Amino acid sequence: MNAPTTSLQTEGRPGLDALFAPRSVAIIGASSDQRRFGGRPIQYLLEAGFDGPIYPVNPARAEIQGLKAYPSILEVPGPVDCALLAVGADVTQQTVEDCIARGVKAAICYGAGFAEVGGEGEARQAKLLETARAGGLRLLGPNCMGALNAQTKFYGTFASALEDGVPPAGRIAIASQSGGYGGYLLRHLFLRGLGVSQWVTTGNEADIDVGEALHWMAGQEDNDVLIAYIEGLRSRDSLIAALKRARENRKPVVVMKVGRTAEGSAAAASHTASLTGQDNVYDALFEEYGVHRARTTDELLDISYALSRRTLPKGPRVGVISISGGVGVQIADFVSDAGLTMGSVPLETQDKLRALVPHCSPRNPIDMTGLVTTNHDIMEKTLDAVFEANAFDATLIFLGITGAAPSMARPLQQAIANAHARAPDQLVFVSVTCPPEMMREYDAKGLLAFEDPSRAVNALSALWQFRETFSADMPAPVALPPAEALPLPEDGKLNEATAKALLAAHGIPSPRENLARDAAEAARMAVDIGFPVAVKVVSPDILHKTEVGGVALGLASAEAVEAAVARMAETIPAHLPDARIDGYLVSEMVKGGVECILGISQDEAFGPVVTFGLGGTLVELLKDTVCALAPVSEARALEMIGKVRTAPLLTGYRGGPRHDIEALARAISGISVLAAQHAGTITTIEVNPLVVRPGAGGVVALDAVIETRPVE
Amino acid sequence: MNAPTTSLQTEGRPGLDALFAPRSVAIIGASSDQRRFGGRPIQYLLEAGFDGPIYPVNPARAEIQGLKAYPSILEVPGPVDCALLAVGADVTQQTVEDCIARGVKAAICYGAGFAEVGGEGEARQAKLLETARAGGLRLLGPNCMGALNAQTKFYGTFASALEDGVPPAGRIAIASQSGGYGGYLLRHLFLRGLGVSQWVTTGNEADIDVGEALHWMAGQEDNDVLIAYIEGLRSRDSLIAALKRARENRKPVVVMKVGRTAEGSAAAASHTASLTGQDNVYDALFEEYGVHRARTTDELLDISYALSRRTLPKGPRVGVISISGGVGVQIADFVSDAGLTMGSVPLETQDKLRALVPHCSPRNPIDMTGLVTTNHDIMEKTLDAVFEANAFDATLIFLGITGAAPSMARPLQQAIANAHARAPDQLVFVSVTCPPEMMREYDAKGLLAFEDPSRAVNALSALWQFRETFSADMPAPVALPPAEALPLPEDGKLNEATAKALLAAHGIPSPRENLARDAAEAARMAVDIGFPVAVKVVSPDILHKTEVGGVALGLASAEAVEAAVARMAETIPAHLPDARIDGYLVSEMVKGGVECILGISQDEAFGPVVTFGLGGTLVELLKDTVCALAPVSEARALEMIGKVRTAPLLTGYRGGPRHDIEALARAISGISVLAAQHAGTITTIEVNPLVVRPGAGGVVALDAVIETRPVE
């Protein structure tokens, strides 16, 4: 892992070292009862052997859990890096003020009754934050379950997941907005024999949010994997900084983002005070940074477990060795579903396998028949032959229920371990039905044990995705040149000409066109532009031009243009006597090409988002669009184009022409830069249709709308 | 469950009673070694207490496993219903002949070395089948793991899954083509505390196939759930008969069909001698009969377990009660993903919940805070209030790791059980992390316990699907009227006129059109048809009519028609001097409507399949089509139309017109009946485009191709 290079802007506030690696801890509201939240952290700190002073604070006690207690934080003798506030919401403000007076650097506020209850609670939290900021105190919570750092033996949490004993340190770091889910995850990792390096729950996030915590974790040396649980974000910056740092340091990030669906979002809004961004925007962000988004806890745990072997596959080729042909077929299905491939067994290796078991199926999935379950020497030799061939990037051995009976299973396990010991670089998964303690024996031998083979394959697929992410170059940051001043209309809407001019300056040309006042001028302009031309009425009062006869296409002569405008000038006022007519737009006819839609919208958490899709009713119906946070580079825009299902229509489908996707990528990037430059001003851009021409013909915006925030 | 009414055609062969419920069993190749496949079944039969005579046959022994042994099946004293053949492939033929001579009714052939090895093995299997058929002997296998019937205590299998003891009977029946997977499933059901009623593995399926076994099971009273594992089918009839019978008897069917993907299919072809039908055809079949297709073993087991409560939800409304808001949001996501809905909590019930815990979230997902984990009375009262409101069709209670510690978990479990006992009709799922034995305690209390909540939700969703299937009417069989004689061309291809005439007789009209020999006749015909018309050159030698100027559209007068034909007659021979010109098709112009594609293809296992989709490049690119086994009823065809993603374009999208989907359904049904009537003759039909007109305008086939098998 490299040294961290991305730093997070925290506006001069102190970092999180005092929170995650305090040298001394005070527990305010300390309790002798180990089941209370003022008692549990003391128990955990003592049990883990925290290597600094622990100061229980409780005015009613002289001694708590064998430690000298103090009546107030102000009377604690030594310096205090971190204070755990196990006090009610009513006294939290005073307690924080005392902490600041005492020089405490970080405080963990467990208590509820703040922003999550609304009204008064919100005000209480705002005041608390103001005080903490002014006093240079970093605040975790309120309404959280605290934090731990196994490296420094700091257990600043009352999570019941540690009740059975503080487990050994591991190399997984977890940042969770939810305390309940954070504890749930902790427990499940322990059940799988996995430990954590750091763990934090951010609760209401008055000060420290999940992104900042994750950013701190991404800079540590003692973890390999970052897990985040997110319900909603208030700001994008800390999360993006964290993902960048993790990507730079080659740390895989697995995220559970809930509130994916309308049902879930409604629940999320009632649960926290934070905003849930549009779900597809999260997907776009995660994809950009190579984050794996887990849909279920099982999936999240499976991937974390697979990552604990610290080996990523070099390619997507899977080898399957099964004792049942039927299951082999099934696993081949899983492999294909997961975007991996079934590797080919070299002919020479097939011969070796046939020499071992004449009636075997030596091609992938390899079926050595039930013989290997009783003849472990054959299993070992099979694996030797397969590993030697080096034809697979990962091997999945299906043992099934053979692994259940210790008499059969242990020697079989040993045979696999022996072969693996001779080829330790091989990434080996075993799908086996056996008790948890036997599963852990596979771990100890450097193998990965799963029960259902589909879960092994899915975890492997995630590993391969991480490998691909880490093999690719870091996405280059998109430079934002200084923005030009925008012509800001009072009604917040730029007229079509202004909008098109702005887009043209950002790489999205319009057709050659001009605004004529009357029929004669239109005819002259048409001659300049060249025939054929299109003529459109321009009026702020006419929404559907076609319906009032306000559009004429393919006009081939000056006479035709003059006649068309004259007819519009006569018939439109007859239909709509009150419509103001600003003139007639005479445009070059754009023929051929693929119609697309390109736009900018605002996400409440992430700001400007650029969305692209092919045009037309059908694509709209099928919602075949792709989005990304603005700004995007041209390279990223090219990737976006490749992701719409209808992309083959642009790249040449069934002998159709290849269109100018490079120009399209420039347009996507250009509009995203424009939106990012004017993030405070421009709210919406819609270019529809944007025509992408064949060959190197470029793109043309046939219509464009730009809306801005009203001038204040 | 009702009495079975669907019967399977087995061409006068005896049914499977002798196989599944024999009154006497002989084991040929019997062994004293309980690990051998001639030894294990005897052990299992003895252990289970099989209620009839067991005759070991072994010429070298007088006694086997405490039973008198016989030198030959011919010397066994009493009648033998079923013989287990634990002998090599080389002596199987003679053994089967002896069995027939002895009057044995069914034989289970364990041994390998038959069709699965190809060549000689195939011939060996064919001869065996011929002998068995002639002798009235039903044959299971070869190359299988046998069968069991817990009801009659018949254990005719050597499956190692029973090694730890023959488990109690359950109400799940399993038919698996794969022995290995069948045993795997058996073991996993036992691990979940579930038993089976019957279990069979069909191996090479020389005689009895998975469909016939399933059909027999669907007629039994002692099972509630049918599970099938399928790699490929030789014939569709037995499976369809089984699914019909299961549907009639309201028995949910869960199928694992492997070889879904190209990777999997390649593996399946190398594993068995059977054909793997097109995967989407299987999906269509399963959907038609309400079969749940499981993708993983976990899913299959989860659903089987959930069905074991013998209660299906009355609706899709889920209530979620969680001790963690975060997990509640997550579960809401799962609910939405699974096609279920989050039910609403009545205001009155919300008030009751607030009275219990003032700071609770009383709306769904209900979050009663961590309080309920320590105050079990509140949990009980919460559930009472929720069950009383009857606002949910199923309730999911998330306990998480609270369920791990027995001191906290047992009283919590009891609180839930108490409330459930007062409302036993409620379908209650508990998501809890605890050891397997505690999971089974939930079962004993009539609750359903899952670890990951996503799996509980997915299983519930399957239950709801079954409920919907069973609530709907049985699909009416589609009557096939006697087929007219087909005009069979020698080259296997009907000409366009013949094809269109045939389609018109099946409810798919063509435009008004006529074949003219020359320009003058074309003009006269156009007058009869009415203007505007289209003219197309008709020639077996011209594939792309447009490219040679052979198509003229929108001709508005007799003169225009005459001129167009004259031009074609002049220019086409100039381009293609060798092309035979049969004439000029003068057709009514069809304007408006939506272009679709409708076709028939042949599936190797299932025969004629009807496929429908909207037309055009984009739909082709997106593979937005739907298929079904022919014939289909109009009602089923309407359902098919609703399943393509682009269906809104037909039903009225964004103010667009509604098109004649009734006529389209008649066309889909009509073409499917035509294909089924002539299943031995017609191989392909393609109507492209088929135009569906707005309103009640019907459909029109603009072009049609029908291919038939060459006449022999």
Side-chain angles (χ1 to χ4, degrees), chain B residues 262-290:
Chain B
E263 303 270 13
S265 294
S270 75
H271 173 59
T272 71
S274 59
L275 300 163
T276 301
Q278 283 294 307
D279 203 63
N280 47 1
V281 181
Y282 277 99
D283 278 336
L285 173 70
F286 294 154
E287 202 214 290
E288 186 170 350
Y289 289 97

Short mmCIF file of all heavy atoms in Angstrom, two decimals, chain B residues 262-290:
data_model
loop_
_atom_site.label_atom_id
_atom_site.label_comp_id
_atom_site.label_asym_id
_atom_site.label_seq_id
_atom_site.Cartn_x
_atom_site.Cartn_y
_atom_site.Cartn_z
N ALA B 262 -24.60 -19.79 -21.59
CA ALA B 262 -23.79 -20.48 -22.61
C ALA B 262 -22.72 -21.33 -21.93
O ALA B 262 -22.48 -22.48 -22.30
CB ALA B 262 -23.17 -19.46 -23.55
N GLU B 263 -22.07 -20.76 -20.89
CA GLU B 263 -21.04 -21.52 -20.16
C GLU B 263 -21.65 -22.78 -19.56
O GLU B 263 -21.09 -23.86 -19.66
CB GLU B 263 -20.46 -20.67 -19.01
CG GLU B 263 -19.86 -19.34 -19.39
CD GLU B 263 -18.37 -19.44 -19.73
OE1 GLU B 263 -17.87 -20.56 -19.91
OE2 GLU B 263 -17.72 -18.38 -19.83
N GLY B 264 -22.81 -22.61 -18.94
CA GLY B 264 -23.46 -23.74 -18.29
C GLY B 264 -23.94 -24.77 -19.29
O GLY B 264 -23.81 -25.97 -19.07
N SER B 265 -24.49 -24.31 -20.41
CA SER B 265 -25.01 -25.25 -21.41
C SER B 265 -23.90 -26.10 -21.99
O SER B 265 -24.07 -27.29 -22.21
CB SER B 265 -25.72 -24.50 -22.54
OG SER B 265 -26.86 -23.87 -22.04
N ALA B 266 -22.76 -25.50 -22.24
CA ALA B 266 -21.63 -26.25 -22.75
C ALA B 266 -21.26 -27.35 -21.77
O ALA B 266 -21.00 -28.49 -22.14
CB ALA B 266 -20.44 -25.32 -23.00
N ALA B 267 -21.26 -27.01 -20.48
CA ALA B 267 -20.94 -27.99 -19.46
C ALA B 267 -22.00 -29.08 -19.41
O ALA B 267 -21.70 -30.25 -19.27
CB ALA B 267 -20.80 -27.30 -18.10
N ALA B 268 -23.28 -28.70 -19.54
CA ALA B 268 -24.37 -29.67 -19.46
C ALA B 268 -24.26 -30.67 -20.60
O ALA B 268 -24.48 -31.86 -20.42
CB ALA B 268 -25.73 -28.97 -19.49
N ALA B 269 -23.94 -30.19 -21.78
CA ALA B 269 -23.87 -31.08 -22.95
C ALA B 269 -22.79 -32.13 -22.75
O ALA B 269 -22.92 -33.26 -23.18
CB ALA B 269 -23.61 -30.27 -24.21
N SER B 270 -21.70 -31.75 -22.08
CA SER B 270 -20.65 -32.73 -21.89
C SER B 270 -20.98 -33.66 -20.74
O SER B 270 -20.43 -34.72 -20.61
CB SER B 270 -19.31 -32.03 -21.64
OG SER B 270 -19.27 -31.52 -20.34
N HIS B 271 -21.92 -33.27 -19.90
CA HIS B 271 -22.20 -34.09 -18.71
C HIS B 271 -23.25 -35.15 -18.97
O HIS B 271 -23.15 -36.25 -18.51
CB HIS B 271 -22.63 -33.19 -17.56
CG HIS B 271 -23.09 -33.95 -16.35
ND1 HIS B 271 -22.28 -34.84 -15.69
CD2 HIS B 271 -24.28 -33.98 -15.72
CE1 HIS B 271 -22.95 -35.36 -14.68
NE2 HIS B 271 -24.16 -34.87 -14.68
N THR B 272 -24.28 -34.84 -19.65
CA THR B 272 -25.31 -35.86 -19.84
C THR B 272 -25.54 -36.06 -21.33
O THR B 272 -25.10 -35.28 -22.16
CB THR B 272 -26.65 -35.45 -19.21
OG1 THR B 272 -27.19 -34.39 -20.00
CG2 THR B 272 -26.49 -35.01 -17.78
N ALA B 273 -26.28 -37.10 -21.62
CA ALA B 273 -26.56 -37.39 -23.02
C ALA B 273 -27.82 -36.67 -23.48
O ALA B 273 -28.30 -36.88 -24.58
CB ALA B 273 -26.71 -38.90 -23.20
N SER B 274 -28.34 -35.82 -22.64
CA SER B 274 -29.63 -35.20 -22.97
C SER B 274 -29.45 -33.83 -23.60
O SER B 274 -28.39 -33.24 -23.60
CB SER B 274 -30.48 -35.09 -21.72
OG SER B 274 -29.81 -34.32 -20.76
N LEU B 275 -30.51 -33.34 -24.15
CA LEU B 275 -30.48 -32.05 -24.83
C LEU B 275 -30.88 -30.94 -23.86
O LEU B 275 -31.81 -31.10 -23.08
CB LEU B 275 -31.49 -32.06 -25.97
CG LEU B 275 -31.25 -33.12 -27.05
CD1 LEU B 275 -32.49 -33.30 -27.87
CD2 LEU B 275 -30.08 -32.70 -27.91
N THR B 276 -30.19 -29.84 -23.93
CA THR B 276 -30.56 -28.70 -23.11
C THR B 276 -31.40 -27.75 -23.96
O THR B 276 -30.90 -27.19 -24.92
CB THR B 276 -29.31 -27.98 -22.60
OG1 THR B 276 -28.54 -28.89 -21.84
CG2 THR B 276 -29.70 -26.81 -21.72
N GLY B 277 -32.65 -27.63 -23.62
CA GLY B 277 -33.53 -26.73 -24.38
C GLY B 277 -33.10 -25.29 -24.19
O GLY B 277 -32.36 -24.96 -23.28
N GLN B 278 -33.57 -24.45 -25.04
CA GLN B 278 -33.28 -23.02 -24.91
C GLN B 278 -33.79 -22.54 -23.56
O GLN B 278 -34.90 -22.82 -23.16
CB GLN B 278 -33.99 -22.25 -26.03
CG GLN B 278 -33.32 -22.37 -27.35
CD GLN B 278 -31.95 -21.71 -27.34
OE1 GLN B 278 -31.83 -20.56 -26.96
NE2 GLN B 278 -30.92 -22.45 -27.71
N ASP B 279 -32.97 -21.77 -22.89
CA ASP B 279 -33.27 -21.41 -21.52
C ASP B 279 -34.52 -20.55 -21.37
O ASP B 279 -35.28 -20.72 -20.42
CB ASP B 279 -32.06 -20.69 -20.93
CG ASP B 279 -32.07 -20.79 -19.43
OD1 ASP B 279 -31.97 -21.93 -18.93
OD2 ASP B 279 -32.23 -19.76 -18.77
N ASN B 280 -34.74 -19.64 -22.30
CA ASN B 280 -35.92 -18.79 -22.16
C ASN B 280 -37.21 -19.56 -22.41
O ASN B 280 -38.27 -19.15 -21.94
CB ASN B 280 -35.83 -17.55 -23.07
CG ASN B 280 -35.41 -17.91 -24.46
OD1 ASN B 280 -35.20 -19.09 -24.77
ND2 ASN B 280 -35.28 -16.93 -25.32
N VAL B 281 -37.11 -20.69 -23.10
CA VAL B 281 -38.29 -21.53 -23.28
C VAL B 281 -38.66 -22.17 -21.94
O VAL B 281 -39.83 -22.24 -21.57
CB VAL B 281 -38.04 -22.60 -24.36
CG1 VAL B 281 -39.28 -23.46 -24.54
CG2 VAL B 281 -37.65 -21.93 -25.67
N TYR B 282 -37.65 -22.61 -21.21
CA TYR B 282 -37.92 -23.12 -19.86
C TYR B 282 -38.58 -22.04 -19.00
O TYR B 282 -39.54 -22.30 -18.29
CB TYR B 282 -36.62 -23.58 -19.19
CG TYR B 282 -36.20 -24.98 -19.56
CD1 TYR B 282 -35.23 -25.20 -20.53
CD2 TYR B 282 -36.78 -26.09 -18.94
CE1 TYR B 282 -34.84 -26.49 -20.87
CE2 TYR B 282 -36.39 -27.37 -19.28
CZ TYR B 282 -35.42 -27.57 -20.25
OH TYR B 282 -35.05 -28.83 -20.59
N ASP B 283 -38.03 -20.83 -19.07
CA ASP B 283 -38.61 -19.75 -18.27
C ASP B 283 -40.08 -19.56 -18.61
O ASP B 283 -40.92 -19.37 -17.73
CB ASP B 283 -37.85 -18.44 -18.52
CG ASP B 283 -36.58 -18.36 -17.68
OD1 ASP B 283 -36.52 -19.04 -16.64
OD2 ASP B 283 -35.66 -17.63 -18.08
N ALA B 284 -40.39 -19.60 -19.91
CA ALA B 284 -41.77 -19.40 -20.35
C ALA B 284 -42.66 -20.52 -19.81
O ALA B 284 -43.77 -20.28 -19.32
CB ALA B 284 -41.84 -19.35 -21.87
N LEU B 285 -42.16 -21.74 -19.88
CA LEU B 285 -42.93 -22.89 -19.38
C LEU B 285 -43.18 -22.76 -17.88
O LEU B 285 -44.30 -22.94 -17.39
CB LEU B 285 -42.15 -24.18 -19.68
CG LEU B 285 -42.74 -25.46 -19.08
CD1 LEU B 285 -44.03 -25.82 -19.78
CD2 LEU B 285 -41.74 -26.61 -19.16
N PHE B 286 -42.11 -22.43 -17.14
CA PHE B 286 -42.23 -22.33 -15.68
C PHE B 286 -43.21 -21.23 -15.31
O PHE B 286 -44.02 -21.37 -14.39
CB PHE B 286 -40.86 -22.08 -15.05
CG PHE B 286 -39.91 -23.24 -15.22
CD1 PHE B 286 -38.53 -23.04 -15.23
CD2 PHE B 286 -40.38 -24.54 -15.36
CE1 PHE B 286 -37.64 -24.10 -15.37
CE2 PHE B 286 -39.51 -25.61 -15.52
CZ PHE B 286 -38.13 -25.39 -15.52
N GLU B 287 -43.12 -20.13 -16.02
CA GLU B 287 -44.02 -19.03 -15.71
C GLU B 287 -45.47 -19.43 -15.96
O GLU B 287 -46.36 -19.11 -15.18
CB GLU B 287 -43.64 -17.85 -16.60
CG GLU B 287 -44.11 -16.53 -16.05
CD GLU B 287 -44.48 -15.62 -17.17
OE1 GLU B 287 -43.56 -15.18 -17.89
OE2 GLU B 287 -45.69 -15.39 -17.36
N GLU B 288 -45.69 -20.16 -17.05
CA GLU B 288 -47.05 -20.56 -17.39
C GLU B 288 -47.69 -21.38 -16.28
O GLU B 288 -48.88 -21.23 -15.99
CB GLU B 288 -47.03 -21.35 -18.71
CG GLU B 288 -48.42 -21.69 -19.21
CD GLU B 288 -48.40 -22.27 -20.63
OE1 GLU B 288 -47.33 -22.23 -21.28
OE2 GLU B 288 -49.46 -22.73 -21.07
N TYR B 289 -46.90 -22.24 -15.64
CA TYR B 289 -47.46 -23.12 -14.61
C TYR B 289 -47.18 -22.60 -13.19
O TYR B 289 -47.42 -23.29 -12.22
CB TYR B 289 -46.95 -24.54 -14.79
CG TYR B 289 -47.55 -25.18 -16.01
CD1 TYR B 289 -46.87 -25.20 -17.21
CD2 TYR B 289 -48.86 -25.67 -15.96
CE1 TYR B 289 -47.46 -25.74 -18.35
CE2 TYR B 289 -49.45 -26.20 -17.09
CZ TYR B 289 -48.75 -26.24 -18.28
OH TYR B 289 -49.34 -26.76 -19.40
N GLY B 290 -46.65 -21.40 -13.06
CA GLY B 290 -46.42 -20.83 -11.73
C GLY B 290 -45.30 -21.51 -10.98
O GLY B 290 -45.28 -21.53 -9.75
#
